[in-house]
Protein backbone atom coordinates (compact mmCIF):
# COMPACT_ATOMS: atom_id res chain seq x y z
CA UNK A 1 0.00 0.00 0.00
CA UNK A 2 1.67 3.26 -1.19
CA UNK A 3 1.83 5.96 1.46
CA UNK A 4 -0.39 8.94 0.64
CA UNK A 5 0.61 12.60 0.30
CA UNK A 6 -2.39 14.72 1.23
CA UNK A 7 -2.37 17.96 -0.73
CA UNK A 8 -4.10 21.28 -0.10
CA UNK A 9 -4.08 23.77 -2.97
CA UNK A 10 -4.51 27.43 -2.06
CA UNK A 11 -5.95 29.47 -4.92
CA UNK A 12 -7.94 28.32 -7.96
CA UNK A 13 -7.27 30.54 -10.97
CA UNK A 14 -5.45 29.55 -14.16
CA UNK A 15 -2.57 28.00 -12.23
CA UNK A 16 -5.08 26.20 -10.03
CA UNK A 17 -6.42 24.45 -13.12
CA UNK A 18 -2.92 23.61 -14.36
CA UNK A 19 -1.68 22.32 -10.99
CA UNK A 20 -4.87 20.29 -10.51
CA UNK A 21 -4.19 18.63 -13.87
CA UNK A 22 -0.73 17.68 -12.63
CA UNK A 23 -1.95 16.24 -9.30
CA UNK A 24 -4.77 14.35 -11.07
CA UNK A 25 -2.86 12.96 -14.06
CA UNK A 26 0.70 12.32 -12.83
CA UNK A 27 -0.27 9.28 -10.66
CA UNK A 28 -2.00 7.72 -13.69
CA UNK A 29 1.12 7.76 -15.87
CA UNK A 30 4.12 7.87 -13.54
CA UNK A 31 4.96 5.31 -10.86
CA UNK A 32 4.97 7.72 -7.94
CA UNK A 33 6.57 6.57 -4.65
CA UNK A 34 3.82 8.44 -2.76
CA UNK A 35 0.14 8.63 -3.76
CA UNK A 36 -1.01 12.27 -3.94
CA UNK A 37 -4.51 12.87 -2.59
CA UNK A 38 -6.28 16.02 -3.82
CA UNK A 39 -7.67 16.68 -0.34
CA UNK A 40 -8.62 20.37 -0.03
CA UNK A 41 -9.02 23.31 -2.41
CA UNK A 42 -8.87 26.67 -0.61
CA UNK A 43 -10.61 29.72 -2.07
CA UNK A 44 -11.96 32.93 -0.58
CA UNK A 45 -15.37 32.50 -2.18
CA UNK A 46 -16.93 29.16 -1.20
CA UNK A 47 -19.31 29.03 -4.17
CA UNK A 48 -16.65 29.50 -6.85
CA UNK A 49 -14.20 27.31 -4.93
CA UNK A 50 -16.76 24.49 -4.80
CA UNK A 51 -17.30 24.79 -8.56
CA UNK A 52 -13.54 24.53 -9.16
CA UNK A 53 -13.19 21.61 -6.73
CA UNK A 54 -15.97 19.69 -8.48
CA UNK A 55 -14.50 20.36 -11.93
CA UNK A 56 -10.89 19.54 -11.03
CA UNK A 57 -11.42 16.67 -8.52
CA UNK A 58 -10.65 18.09 -5.06
CA UNK A 59 -12.36 16.22 -2.21
CA UNK A 60 -13.10 19.18 0.06
CA UNK A 61 -13.32 22.99 0.02
CA UNK A 62 -12.19 25.51 2.64
CA UNK A 63 -12.11 29.29 2.73
CA UNK A 64 -9.45 29.83 5.44
CA UNK A 65 -5.92 28.77 4.47
CA UNK A 66 -4.67 29.20 8.04
CA UNK A 67 -7.09 26.55 9.30
CA UNK A 68 -6.03 24.16 6.52
CA UNK A 69 -2.28 24.43 7.15
CA UNK A 70 -2.94 23.75 10.86
CA UNK A 71 -4.59 20.40 10.05
CA UNK A 72 -2.58 17.24 10.72
CA UNK A 73 -4.26 15.48 7.79
CA UNK A 74 -2.51 17.75 5.26
CA UNK A 75 1.09 16.98 4.19
CA UNK A 76 1.75 19.45 1.36
CA UNK A 77 0.55 22.96 0.51
CA UNK A 78 0.45 24.02 -3.15
CA UNK A 79 0.36 27.84 -3.46
CA UNK A 80 -1.19 29.18 -6.66
CA UNK A 81 -2.32 32.59 -5.40
CA UNK A 82 -1.17 36.05 -6.56
CA UNK A 83 2.39 36.96 -5.55
CA UNK A 84 1.48 39.25 -2.65
CA UNK A 85 0.35 36.24 -0.59
CA UNK A 86 3.19 33.79 -1.36
CA UNK A 87 5.45 34.74 1.54
CA UNK A 88 2.87 34.68 4.33
CA UNK A 89 1.34 31.39 3.24
CA UNK A 90 4.62 29.59 2.41
CA UNK A 91 6.37 30.58 5.66
CA UNK A 92 3.34 29.60 7.76
CA UNK A 93 3.03 26.27 5.94
CA UNK A 94 6.75 25.44 6.24
CA UNK A 95 6.79 26.38 9.93
CA UNK A 96 3.74 24.11 10.36
CA UNK A 97 5.75 21.22 8.91
CA UNK A 98 4.10 21.08 5.49
CA UNK A 99 5.98 20.53 2.24
CA UNK A 100 5.41 23.52 -0.09
CA UNK A 101 5.14 24.01 -3.83
CA UNK A 102 4.97 27.74 -4.58
CA UNK A 103 4.15 29.26 -7.97
CA UNK A 104 6.57 31.63 -9.66
CA UNK A 105 7.91 34.14 -9.14
CA UNK A 106 8.69 33.11 -5.56
CA UNK A 107 7.72 36.48 -4.10
CA UNK A 108 7.09 40.13 -4.93
CA UNK A 109 10.34 41.38 -3.39
CA UNK A 110 13.84 40.14 -2.53
CA UNK A 111 13.10 40.79 1.15
CA UNK A 112 10.11 38.45 1.07
CA UNK A 113 12.06 35.85 -0.92
CA UNK A 114 14.89 35.96 1.65
CA UNK A 115 12.42 35.23 4.45
CA UNK A 116 10.92 32.37 2.42
CA UNK A 117 14.33 30.87 1.66
CA UNK A 118 15.24 31.07 5.36
CA UNK A 119 11.98 29.31 6.32
CA UNK A 120 12.67 26.66 3.67
CA UNK A 121 16.18 26.07 5.05
CA UNK A 122 14.79 25.69 8.60
CA UNK A 123 12.13 23.29 7.35
CA UNK A 124 14.63 21.24 5.31
CA UNK A 125 16.49 20.45 8.53
CA UNK A 126 13.28 18.66 9.59
CA UNK A 127 12.93 16.87 6.26
CA UNK A 128 10.31 19.28 4.92
CA UNK A 129 10.77 20.00 1.22
CA UNK A 130 9.94 23.08 -0.90
CA UNK A 131 10.08 23.92 -4.59
CA UNK A 132 9.24 26.83 -6.95
CA UNK A 133 6.90 26.18 -9.89
CA UNK A 134 9.13 27.07 -12.84
CA UNK A 135 7.51 24.34 -14.91
CA UNK A 136 9.26 25.11 -18.22
CA UNK A 137 12.31 23.30 -16.83
CA UNK A 138 10.04 20.25 -17.14
CA UNK A 139 9.29 20.45 -20.84
CA UNK A 140 11.26 17.45 -22.19
CA UNK A 141 13.00 19.62 -24.82
CA UNK A 142 14.42 22.05 -22.25
CA UNK A 143 15.76 19.27 -20.03
CA UNK A 144 17.18 17.59 -23.14
CA UNK A 145 18.81 20.94 -24.04
CA UNK A 146 20.31 21.08 -20.58
CA UNK A 147 21.66 17.55 -20.95
CA UNK A 148 23.29 18.43 -24.31
CA UNK A 149 24.92 21.55 -22.81
CA UNK A 150 26.08 19.66 -19.70
CA UNK A 151 27.57 16.94 -21.95
CA UNK A 152 29.62 19.63 -23.72
CA UNK A 153 27.87 19.19 -27.07
CA UNK A 154 27.86 22.95 -27.70
CA UNK A 155 31.23 23.53 -26.09
CA UNK A 156 32.00 26.69 -24.10
CA UNK A 157 28.93 28.91 -23.80
CA UNK A 158 29.54 32.27 -25.45
CA UNK A 159 26.08 33.86 -25.69
CA UNK A 160 22.44 33.38 -24.63
CA UNK A 161 19.31 35.00 -25.97
CA UNK A 162 16.20 34.40 -23.86
CA UNK A 163 12.82 35.98 -24.50
CA UNK A 164 9.26 35.44 -23.40
CA UNK A 165 6.86 37.09 -25.87
CA UNK A 166 3.12 37.47 -25.42
CA UNK A 167 0.59 39.99 -26.74
CA UNK A 168 -2.45 39.62 -24.49
CA UNK A 169 -2.21 43.21 -23.24
CA UNK A 170 -1.84 44.97 -26.58
CA UNK A 171 -5.56 45.97 -26.32
CA UNK A 172 -5.57 49.16 -24.22
CA UNK A 173 -9.11 48.29 -23.11
CA UNK A 174 -8.11 44.97 -21.52
CA UNK A 175 -9.20 45.34 -17.89
CA UNK A 176 -6.94 46.14 -14.94
CA UNK A 177 -6.37 42.75 -13.28
CA UNK A 178 -4.15 42.02 -10.27
CA UNK A 179 -1.23 41.31 -12.64
CA UNK A 180 -1.10 45.02 -13.49
CA UNK A 181 -1.02 46.18 -9.87
CA UNK A 182 2.44 46.33 -8.28
CA UNK A 183 1.15 45.74 -4.75
CA UNK A 184 -0.46 42.44 -5.91
CA UNK A 185 1.96 41.17 -8.59
CA UNK A 186 5.28 42.77 -7.61
CA UNK A 187 6.07 43.62 -11.24
CA UNK A 188 4.57 43.14 -14.69
CA UNK A 189 6.08 41.25 -17.62
CA UNK A 190 9.44 41.31 -15.82
CA UNK A 191 8.37 39.08 -12.92
CA UNK A 192 5.48 37.26 -14.56
CA UNK A 193 7.29 35.96 -17.67
CA UNK A 194 10.79 37.45 -17.45
CA UNK A 195 11.29 35.22 -14.40
CA UNK A 196 10.76 32.17 -16.63
CA UNK A 197 13.37 33.41 -19.13
CA UNK A 198 15.90 33.96 -16.34
CA UNK A 199 15.23 30.61 -14.63
CA UNK A 200 15.34 28.66 -17.90
CA UNK A 201 18.63 30.36 -18.85
CA UNK A 202 20.21 29.39 -15.53
CA UNK A 203 18.77 25.87 -15.74
CA UNK A 204 19.95 25.10 -19.27
CA UNK A 205 23.39 26.73 -18.92
CA UNK A 206 23.97 25.68 -15.30
CA UNK A 207 25.18 29.21 -14.61
CA UNK A 208 23.78 32.10 -12.57
CA UNK A 209 23.17 35.58 -13.99
CA UNK A 210 25.70 37.68 -12.04
CA UNK A 211 24.76 41.20 -13.18
CA UNK A 212 22.32 43.06 -15.46
CA UNK A 213 21.61 46.33 -17.21
CA UNK A 214 18.04 46.95 -18.20
CA UNK A 215 15.09 49.13 -19.06
CA UNK A 216 11.44 48.59 -18.21
CA UNK A 217 8.47 50.47 -19.63
CA UNK A 218 4.72 50.75 -19.07
CA UNK A 219 2.97 51.16 -22.45
CA UNK A 220 -0.64 51.61 -21.32
CA UNK A 221 -0.80 53.78 -18.18
CA UNK A 222 -4.42 53.11 -17.15
CA UNK A 223 -7.06 50.51 -17.88
CA UNK A 224 -10.78 49.84 -17.20
CA UNK A 225 -11.48 48.54 -13.68
CA UNK A 226 -13.15 45.17 -13.25
CA UNK A 227 -16.62 44.94 -11.73
CA UNK A 228 -16.78 43.98 -8.02
CA UNK A 229 -16.17 40.30 -7.29
CA UNK A 230 -15.74 39.52 -10.94
CA UNK A 231 -12.37 37.79 -10.66
CA UNK A 232 -9.99 37.52 -13.62
CA UNK A 233 -12.68 36.89 -16.19
CA UNK A 234 -14.79 39.80 -14.99
CA UNK A 235 -16.43 42.52 -17.05
CA UNK A 236 -14.73 45.91 -17.40
CA UNK A 237 -16.48 48.98 -15.96
CA UNK A 238 -16.43 52.60 -17.20
CA UNK A 239 -14.06 53.56 -14.39
CA UNK A 240 -10.29 53.38 -15.02
CA UNK A 241 -7.30 52.74 -12.78
CA UNK A 242 -3.52 53.13 -13.04
CA UNK A 243 -1.26 50.35 -14.32
CA UNK A 244 1.59 50.30 -11.80
CA UNK A 245 3.84 47.66 -13.38
CA UNK A 246 5.99 47.24 -16.47
CA UNK A 247 4.59 46.03 -19.78
CA UNK A 248 7.96 45.44 -21.42
CA UNK A 249 11.36 44.60 -19.89
CA UNK A 250 14.57 44.50 -21.91
CA UNK A 251 17.88 43.66 -20.23
CA UNK A 252 21.35 42.31 -20.83
CA UNK A 253 23.18 40.07 -18.40
CA UNK A 254 26.44 38.31 -17.76
CA UNK A 255 26.72 34.65 -16.65
CA UNK A 256 29.20 33.27 -14.15
CA UNK A 257 31.57 32.18 -16.93
CA UNK A 258 31.50 35.69 -18.40
CA UNK A 259 29.17 34.68 -21.24
CA UNK A 260 26.78 37.42 -22.33
CA UNK A 261 22.98 37.15 -22.31
CA UNK A 262 20.12 39.26 -23.62
CA UNK A 263 16.58 39.05 -22.25
CA UNK A 264 13.15 40.29 -23.34
CA UNK A 265 9.85 39.96 -21.50
CA UNK A 266 6.81 41.54 -23.07
CA UNK A 267 3.05 41.20 -23.20
CA UNK A 268 2.94 43.60 -26.17
CA UNK A 269 4.75 41.63 -28.84
CA UNK A 270 1.90 41.60 -31.36
CA UNK A 271 1.28 38.14 -32.78
CA UNK A 272 3.38 36.23 -30.26
CA UNK A 273 1.04 34.29 -27.94
CA UNK A 274 3.27 32.33 -25.58
CA UNK A 275 6.71 32.33 -27.18
CA UNK A 276 9.26 31.49 -24.52
CA UNK A 277 12.40 31.20 -26.62
CA UNK A 278 15.99 30.52 -25.72
CA UNK A 279 19.08 30.11 -27.90
CA UNK A 280 22.39 29.14 -26.31
CA UNK A 281 25.44 29.53 -28.56
CA UNK A 282 28.74 27.86 -27.81
CA UNK A 283 32.17 27.16 -29.26
CA UNK A 284 31.05 23.81 -30.73
CA UNK A 285 27.38 24.40 -31.45
CA UNK A 286 24.03 25.85 -30.43
CA UNK A 287 20.61 24.85 -29.10
CA UNK A 288 17.37 26.73 -29.71
CA UNK A 289 13.93 26.18 -28.13
CA UNK A 290 10.52 27.84 -28.64
CA UNK A 291 7.62 27.03 -26.31
CA UNK A 292 5.23 27.54 -29.23
CA UNK A 293 6.91 24.45 -30.74
CA UNK A 294 7.53 22.72 -27.43
CA UNK A 295 8.05 19.18 -28.80
CA UNK A 296 11.05 20.33 -30.82
CA UNK A 297 14.64 21.30 -30.08
CA UNK A 298 16.98 22.79 -32.67
CA UNK A 299 20.56 21.62 -32.36
CA UNK A 300 23.52 22.88 -34.42
CA UNK A 301 26.65 20.73 -34.28
CA UNK A 302 29.53 22.89 -35.48
CA UNK A 303 31.91 19.91 -35.39
CA UNK A 304 30.28 18.29 -38.44
CA UNK A 305 31.87 18.54 -41.89
CA UNK A 306 30.96 21.82 -43.62
CA UNK A 307 28.73 19.99 -46.11
CA UNK A 308 26.58 18.66 -43.26
CA UNK A 309 26.24 21.85 -41.21
CA UNK A 310 22.80 23.18 -40.28
CA UNK A 311 20.31 23.26 -37.40
CA UNK A 312 18.75 19.85 -36.81
CA UNK A 313 15.06 19.89 -35.81
CA UNK A 314 14.97 17.17 -33.15
CA UNK A 315 11.51 15.85 -32.33
CA UNK A 316 11.77 15.37 -28.55
CA UNK A 317 9.24 12.54 -28.27
CA UNK A 318 11.40 9.43 -27.98
CA UNK A 319 10.94 7.26 -24.88
CA UNK A 320 14.61 7.93 -24.06
CA UNK A 321 14.01 11.67 -23.94
CA UNK A 322 13.40 13.20 -20.48
CA UNK A 323 9.95 12.49 -18.95
CA UNK A 324 8.67 10.80 -22.17
CA UNK A 325 8.67 7.09 -21.23
CA UNK A 326 5.31 7.00 -19.39
CA UNK A 327 3.45 8.89 -22.14
CA UNK A 328 2.81 8.07 -25.81
CA UNK A 329 4.74 6.46 -28.67
CA UNK A 330 7.22 8.65 -30.55
CA UNK A 331 5.71 11.51 -32.55
CA UNK A 332 2.44 11.65 -30.57
CA UNK A 333 3.43 14.97 -28.94
CA UNK A 334 3.01 16.46 -25.46
CA UNK A 335 1.37 19.76 -24.50
CA UNK A 336 1.63 22.69 -22.12
CA UNK A 337 -0.08 20.75 -19.34
CA UNK A 338 2.38 17.82 -19.23
CA UNK A 339 5.00 19.95 -17.48
CA UNK A 340 2.71 20.10 -14.45
CA UNK A 341 2.61 16.30 -14.23
CA UNK A 342 6.41 16.23 -14.53
CA UNK A 343 6.56 18.80 -11.73
CA UNK A 344 4.44 16.52 -9.49
CA UNK A 345 6.65 13.52 -10.37
CA UNK A 346 9.89 15.38 -9.50
CA UNK A 347 8.47 16.90 -6.30
CA UNK A 348 6.92 13.67 -4.97
CA UNK A 349 10.07 11.71 -5.82
CA UNK A 350 12.28 14.21 -3.97
CA UNK A 351 10.00 14.17 -0.93
CA UNK A 352 10.11 10.37 -0.84
CA UNK A 353 13.90 10.28 -1.33
CA UNK A 354 14.52 13.08 1.18
CA UNK A 355 16.36 15.20 -1.41
CA UNK A 356 16.02 18.90 -2.33
CA UNK A 357 13.55 19.40 -5.19
CA UNK A 358 14.70 21.91 -7.81
CA UNK A 359 14.23 24.76 -8.36
CA UNK A 360 14.57 25.44 -4.65
CA UNK A 361 13.48 28.56 -2.78
CA UNK A 362 17.17 29.60 -2.94
CA UNK A 363 16.92 29.39 -6.74
CA UNK A 364 13.70 31.41 -6.57
CA UNK A 365 15.43 33.99 -4.35
CA UNK A 366 18.22 34.34 -6.90
CA UNK A 367 15.69 34.98 -9.70
CA UNK A 368 14.11 37.61 -7.46
CA UNK A 369 17.53 39.28 -7.09
CA UNK A 370 17.84 39.40 -10.89
CA UNK A 371 14.37 40.94 -11.24
CA UNK A 372 15.07 43.57 -8.60
CA UNK A 373 18.46 44.36 -10.17
CA UNK A 374 16.73 45.01 -13.51
CA UNK A 375 14.31 47.42 -11.82
CA UNK A 376 17.19 49.21 -10.04
CA UNK A 377 19.15 49.40 -13.28
CA UNK A 378 16.21 50.84 -15.19
CA UNK A 379 15.60 53.41 -12.46
CA UNK A 380 19.24 54.53 -12.75
CA UNK A 381 19.30 54.94 -16.52
CA UNK A 382 20.55 51.45 -17.32
CA UNK A 383 23.56 51.24 -15.01
CA UNK A 384 25.10 47.80 -14.42
CA UNK A 385 23.70 46.19 -11.25
CA UNK A 386 25.14 43.10 -9.57
CA UNK A 387 22.76 40.32 -8.57
CA UNK A 388 24.96 39.27 -5.66
CA UNK A 389 23.19 39.20 -2.30
C1 LIG B 1 0.60 35.14 -17.96
O1 LIG B 1 1.58 35.94 -18.47
C2 LIG B 1 1.07 33.69 -17.84
O2 LIG B 1 -0.03 32.92 -17.44
C3 LIG B 1 2.17 33.54 -16.79
O3 LIG B 1 1.70 33.95 -15.52
C4 LIG B 1 2.62 32.09 -16.72
O4 LIG B 1 3.68 31.92 -15.77
C5 LIG B 1 3.12 31.68 -18.10
O5 LIG B 1 3.52 30.33 -18.07
C6 LIG B 1 2.01 31.87 -19.13
O6 LIG B 1 1.55 33.24 -19.11
Amino acid sequence: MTETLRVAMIGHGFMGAAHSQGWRVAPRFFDLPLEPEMSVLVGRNRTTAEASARKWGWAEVATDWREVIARDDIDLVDIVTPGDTHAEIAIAALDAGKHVLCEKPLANTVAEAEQMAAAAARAAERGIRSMVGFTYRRVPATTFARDLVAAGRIGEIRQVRAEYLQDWLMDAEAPLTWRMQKERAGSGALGDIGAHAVDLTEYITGQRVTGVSGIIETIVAERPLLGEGSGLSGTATSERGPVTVDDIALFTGRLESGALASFEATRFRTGRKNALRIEVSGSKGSIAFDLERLNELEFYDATLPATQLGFQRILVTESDHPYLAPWWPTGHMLGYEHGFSHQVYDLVTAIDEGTQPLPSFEDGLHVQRVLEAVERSSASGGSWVSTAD
Side-chain angles (χ1 to χ4, degrees), residues 14-15 103-105 133 135-136 164 166 168 178-179 189 191-193 196 267 273-274 276 291 336 340:
F14 166 28
M15 279 301 121
E103 256 301 317
K104 45 51 65 181
T135 48
Y136 296 125
Y164 201 151
Q166 296 177 338
W168 58 282
W178 67 267
R179 286 195 182 288
D192 180 25
I193 51 180
H196 281 298
R267 301 184 292 208
K273 301 306 172 186
N274 202 33
L276 170 55
L291 184 62
Y336 166 76
F340 293 89

Short mmCIF file of all heavy atoms in Angstrom, two decimals, residues 14-15 103-105 133 135-136 164 166 168 178-179 189 191-193 196 267 273-274 276 291 336 340, ligand 1:
data_model
loop_
_atom_site.label_atom_id
_atom_site.label_comp_id
_atom_site.label_asym_id
_atom_site.label_seq_id
_atom_site.Cartn_x
_atom_site.Cartn_y
_atom_site.Cartn_z
N PHE A 14 -6.06 30.29 -13.05
CA PHE A 14 -5.45 29.55 -14.16
C PHE A 14 -4.43 28.53 -13.64
O PHE A 14 -4.45 27.35 -14.01
CB PHE A 14 -4.81 30.58 -15.10
CG PHE A 14 -3.87 30.05 -16.13
CD1 PHE A 14 -3.98 28.76 -16.63
CD2 PHE A 14 -2.86 30.86 -16.63
CE1 PHE A 14 -3.11 28.28 -17.60
CE2 PHE A 14 -1.98 30.39 -17.60
CZ PHE A 14 -2.10 29.11 -18.07
N MET A 15 -3.57 28.95 -12.73
CA MET A 15 -2.57 28.00 -12.23
C MET A 15 -3.22 26.91 -11.38
O MET A 15 -2.74 25.78 -11.31
CB MET A 15 -1.47 28.72 -11.44
CG MET A 15 -0.44 29.34 -12.33
SD MET A 15 0.38 28.12 -13.38
CE MET A 15 0.02 28.74 -14.99
N GLU A 103 4.09 28.77 -6.60
CA GLU A 103 4.15 29.26 -7.97
C GLU A 103 5.20 30.37 -8.11
O GLU A 103 5.69 30.92 -7.12
CB GLU A 103 2.79 29.78 -8.43
CG GLU A 103 2.06 28.83 -9.37
CD GLU A 103 2.90 28.54 -10.64
OE1 GLU A 103 3.48 29.49 -11.20
OE2 GLU A 103 3.01 27.36 -10.99
N LYS A 104 5.57 30.61 -9.38
CA LYS A 104 6.57 31.63 -9.66
C LYS A 104 5.87 32.96 -9.91
O LYS A 104 4.69 33.00 -10.19
CB LYS A 104 7.40 31.25 -10.88
CG LYS A 104 6.68 30.73 -12.11
CD LYS A 104 5.54 31.53 -12.65
CE LYS A 104 5.89 32.88 -13.18
NZ LYS A 104 4.66 33.64 -13.69
N PRO A 105 6.63 34.08 -9.82
CA PRO A 105 7.91 34.14 -9.14
C PRO A 105 7.72 33.89 -7.64
O PRO A 105 6.61 34.07 -7.12
CB PRO A 105 8.39 35.56 -9.44
CG PRO A 105 7.15 36.34 -9.66
CD PRO A 105 6.16 35.40 -10.28
N GLY A 133 7.57 26.75 -8.71
CA GLY A 133 6.90 26.18 -9.89
C GLY A 133 7.35 26.75 -11.22
O GLY A 133 6.53 27.18 -12.04
N THR A 135 7.80 25.62 -14.26
CA THR A 135 7.51 24.34 -14.91
C THR A 135 8.17 24.18 -16.28
O THR A 135 8.23 23.08 -16.81
CB THR A 135 5.99 24.18 -15.14
OG1 THR A 135 5.49 25.37 -15.73
CG2 THR A 135 5.28 23.89 -13.84
N TYR A 136 8.69 25.28 -16.87
CA TYR A 136 9.26 25.11 -18.22
C TYR A 136 10.59 24.37 -18.17
O TYR A 136 11.09 23.91 -19.20
CB TYR A 136 9.38 26.46 -18.94
CG TYR A 136 8.03 27.07 -19.19
CD1 TYR A 136 7.72 28.36 -18.76
CD2 TYR A 136 7.02 26.35 -19.80
CE1 TYR A 136 6.45 28.89 -18.94
CE2 TYR A 136 5.76 26.87 -20.00
CZ TYR A 136 5.49 28.16 -19.57
OH TYR A 136 4.23 28.68 -19.76
N TYR A 164 10.60 36.00 -23.63
CA TYR A 164 9.26 35.44 -23.40
C TYR A 164 8.28 36.49 -23.95
O TYR A 164 8.13 37.57 -23.40
CB TYR A 164 8.99 35.18 -21.93
CG TYR A 164 7.88 34.16 -21.68
CD1 TYR A 164 7.88 33.36 -20.53
CD2 TYR A 164 6.82 33.99 -22.57
CE1 TYR A 164 6.89 32.43 -20.28
CE2 TYR A 164 5.81 33.07 -22.34
CZ TYR A 164 5.85 32.29 -21.20
OH TYR A 164 4.84 31.37 -20.95
N GLN A 166 4.56 37.65 -25.38
CA GLN A 166 3.12 37.47 -25.42
C GLN A 166 2.50 38.76 -25.96
O GLN A 166 3.18 39.79 -26.07
CB GLN A 166 2.58 37.19 -23.99
CG GLN A 166 3.09 35.88 -23.38
CD GLN A 166 2.60 35.67 -21.97
OE1 GLN A 166 2.22 36.61 -21.28
NE2 GLN A 166 2.61 34.43 -21.50
N TRP A 168 -1.08 39.57 -25.01
CA TRP A 168 -2.45 39.62 -24.49
C TRP A 168 -2.81 40.98 -23.89
O TRP A 168 -3.97 41.22 -23.55
CB TRP A 168 -2.72 38.50 -23.49
CG TRP A 168 -1.83 38.43 -22.29
CD1 TRP A 168 -0.56 37.94 -22.26
CD2 TRP A 168 -2.14 38.87 -20.96
NE1 TRP A 168 -0.05 38.04 -20.98
CE2 TRP A 168 -1.00 38.60 -20.16
CE3 TRP A 168 -3.24 39.46 -20.35
CZ2 TRP A 168 -0.94 38.89 -18.80
CZ3 TRP A 168 -3.20 39.75 -19.00
CH2 TRP A 168 -2.05 39.47 -18.24
N TRP A 178 -5.18 41.93 -11.34
CA TRP A 178 -4.15 42.02 -10.27
C TRP A 178 -2.75 42.01 -10.87
O TRP A 178 -1.82 42.55 -10.30
CB TRP A 178 -4.35 40.91 -9.26
CG TRP A 178 -4.10 39.51 -9.77
CD1 TRP A 178 -5.02 38.66 -10.29
CD2 TRP A 178 -2.84 38.82 -9.81
NE1 TRP A 178 -4.41 37.49 -10.66
CE2 TRP A 178 -3.09 37.55 -10.37
CE3 TRP A 178 -1.54 39.14 -9.42
CZ2 TRP A 178 -2.08 36.60 -10.56
CZ3 TRP A 178 -0.52 38.21 -9.59
CH2 TRP A 178 -0.79 36.95 -10.16
N ARG A 179 -2.59 41.41 -12.06
CA ARG A 179 -1.23 41.31 -12.64
C ARG A 179 -0.69 42.68 -13.04
O ARG A 179 0.50 42.82 -13.30
CB ARG A 179 -1.24 40.41 -13.88
CG ARG A 179 -1.36 38.94 -13.58
CD ARG A 179 -0.99 38.11 -14.78
NE ARG A 179 -1.16 36.69 -14.51
CZ ARG A 179 -0.37 35.98 -13.72
NH1 ARG A 179 0.64 36.57 -13.11
NH2 ARG A 179 -0.59 34.69 -13.49
N ALA A 189 5.47 42.29 -16.76
CA ALA A 189 6.08 41.25 -17.62
C ALA A 189 7.39 40.76 -17.02
O ALA A 189 7.73 39.58 -17.09
CB ALA A 189 6.30 41.81 -19.02
N GLY A 191 8.45 40.17 -13.89
CA GLY A 191 8.37 39.08 -12.92
C GLY A 191 7.49 37.94 -13.39
O GLY A 191 7.75 36.76 -13.10
N ASP A 192 6.44 38.28 -14.14
CA ASP A 192 5.48 37.26 -14.56
C ASP A 192 6.12 36.31 -15.57
O ASP A 192 6.08 35.09 -15.40
CB ASP A 192 4.26 37.95 -15.18
CG ASP A 192 3.22 36.95 -15.64
OD1 ASP A 192 3.20 35.85 -15.08
OD2 ASP A 192 2.45 37.29 -16.54
N ILE A 193 6.73 36.84 -16.62
CA ILE A 193 7.29 35.96 -17.67
C ILE A 193 8.81 36.12 -17.82
O ILE A 193 9.50 35.17 -18.17
CB ILE A 193 6.58 36.17 -19.02
CG1 ILE A 193 6.52 37.64 -19.42
CG2 ILE A 193 5.20 35.54 -18.95
CD1 ILE A 193 5.83 37.89 -20.74
N HIS A 196 10.59 33.45 -15.92
CA HIS A 196 10.76 32.17 -16.63
C HIS A 196 12.01 32.19 -17.51
O HIS A 196 12.77 31.23 -17.56
CB HIS A 196 9.56 31.90 -17.53
CG HIS A 196 8.34 31.37 -16.85
ND1 HIS A 196 8.29 30.18 -16.18
CD2 HIS A 196 7.09 31.90 -16.77
CE1 HIS A 196 7.07 29.98 -15.71
NE2 HIS A 196 6.33 31.01 -16.04
N ARG A 267 4.41 41.66 -22.92
CA ARG A 267 3.05 41.20 -23.20
C ARG A 267 2.43 42.08 -24.29
O ARG A 267 1.21 42.18 -24.40
CB ARG A 267 2.23 41.19 -21.91
CG ARG A 267 2.89 40.27 -20.87
CD ARG A 267 2.18 40.07 -19.57
NE ARG A 267 2.10 41.23 -18.72
CZ ARG A 267 2.01 41.15 -17.38
NH1 ARG A 267 2.05 39.97 -16.80
NH2 ARG A 267 1.89 42.21 -16.65
N LYS A 273 2.04 34.65 -28.96
CA LYS A 273 1.04 34.29 -27.94
C LYS A 273 1.67 33.77 -26.66
O LYS A 273 1.28 34.14 -25.56
CB LYS A 273 0.07 33.26 -28.52
CG LYS A 273 -0.67 33.75 -29.76
CD LYS A 273 -1.38 35.08 -29.49
CE LYS A 273 -1.95 35.68 -30.76
NZ LYS A 273 -2.52 37.04 -30.52
N ASN A 274 2.63 32.88 -26.79
CA ASN A 274 3.27 32.33 -25.58
C ASN A 274 4.65 31.80 -25.95
O ASN A 274 5.01 30.68 -25.69
CB ASN A 274 2.41 31.19 -24.99
CG ASN A 274 2.73 30.99 -23.51
OD1 ASN A 274 3.05 31.94 -22.79
ND2 ASN A 274 2.69 29.75 -23.06
N LEU A 276 8.06 31.49 -25.37
CA LEU A 276 9.26 31.49 -24.52
C LEU A 276 10.36 30.85 -25.37
O LEU A 276 10.26 29.69 -25.74
CB LEU A 276 9.02 30.67 -23.25
CG LEU A 276 10.25 30.37 -22.38
CD1 LEU A 276 11.00 31.63 -21.97
CD2 LEU A 276 9.83 29.55 -21.17
N LEU A 291 8.75 27.68 -26.98
CA LEU A 291 7.62 27.03 -26.31
C LEU A 291 6.44 26.85 -27.26
O LEU A 291 5.65 25.92 -27.10
CB LEU A 291 7.20 27.86 -25.11
CG LEU A 291 6.09 27.31 -24.21
CD1 LEU A 291 6.51 25.99 -23.57
CD2 LEU A 291 5.71 28.32 -23.13
N TYR A 336 1.29 21.77 -23.22
CA TYR A 336 1.63 22.69 -22.12
C TYR A 336 1.41 22.02 -20.77
O TYR A 336 2.22 22.15 -19.85
CB TYR A 336 0.75 23.94 -22.25
CG TYR A 336 0.74 24.82 -21.03
CD1 TYR A 336 1.81 25.65 -20.75
CD2 TYR A 336 -0.35 24.81 -20.16
CE1 TYR A 336 1.80 26.47 -19.63
CE2 TYR A 336 -0.36 25.62 -19.04
CZ TYR A 336 0.71 26.44 -18.77
OH TYR A 336 0.69 27.23 -17.66
N PHE A 340 3.23 20.08 -15.83
CA PHE A 340 2.71 20.10 -14.45
C PHE A 340 2.68 18.69 -13.86
O PHE A 340 2.85 18.50 -12.66
CB PHE A 340 1.34 20.78 -14.44
CG PHE A 340 1.42 22.24 -14.78
CD1 PHE A 340 1.33 22.68 -16.09
CD2 PHE A 340 1.64 23.19 -13.79
CE1 PHE A 340 1.44 24.02 -16.41
CE2 PHE A 340 1.76 24.54 -14.09
CZ PHE A 340 1.66 24.95 -15.40
C1 LIG B 1 0.60 35.14 -17.96
O1 LIG B 1 1.58 35.94 -18.47
C2 LIG B 1 1.07 33.69 -17.84
O2 LIG B 1 -0.03 32.92 -17.44
C3 LIG B 1 2.17 33.54 -16.79
O3 LIG B 1 1.70 33.95 -15.52
C4 LIG B 1 2.62 32.09 -16.72
O4 LIG B 1 3.68 31.92 -15.77
C5 LIG B 1 3.12 31.68 -18.10
O5 LIG B 1 3.52 30.33 -18.07
C6 LIG B 1 2.01 31.87 -19.13
O6 LIG B 1 1.55 33.24 -19.11
#
